Amino acid sequence: PHLLSLKLPYSNVDVRRLTVGMDPGFRSLAAQLGVLPSLKELNLGSSRLSGHLRQLLSDLRVPLESLELPFCSLLPGDFAFL
């Protein structure tokens, strides 16, 4: 719970494999991010998050100071959420 920074570049997060009901592993990752109240920095570089950024980050309890999403194929809805 005291983790300040998490880097998961090239993780296997790929929303192209998600069904409409959301993959349990993806949902579990989102929930686990929500139980890290000290998290300030998150790097998900090269994860394919197209259109699912809200679902991944909505459980966060506090705003991040740094969010790195290079090469994540974000869509306009993702930017609207940010």
Side-chain angles (χ1 to χ4, degrees):
H2 303 292
L3 188 68
L4 297 174
S5 180
L6 180 61
K7 296 181 181 183
L8 297 171
Y10 303 101
S11 64
N12 202 19
V13 176
D14 186 350
V15 297
R16 295 177 300 179
R17 291 184 282 177
L18 295 179
T19 60
V20 175
M22 290 257 310
D23 175 67
F26 182 85
R27 187 67 211 136
S28 177
L29 173 61
Q32 292 304 309
L33 289 175
V35 298
L36 297 172
S38 300
L39 189 65
K40 301 290 181 200
E41 301 174 346
L42 180 60
N43 179 331
L44 294 170
S46 299
S47 300
R48 296 176 194 100
L49 299 172
S50 302
H52 289 81
L53 196 58
R54 178 184 301 274
Q55 288 120 331
L56 183 63
L57 301 180
S58 63
D59 289 338
L60 291 176
R61 296 181 187 177
V62 295
L64 295 169
E65 291 178 9
S66 173
L67 176 62
E68 296 181 47
L69 300 169
F71 307 107
C72 286
S73 304
L74 300 180
L75 298 176
D78 298 314
F79 289 106
F81 168 71
L82 292 174

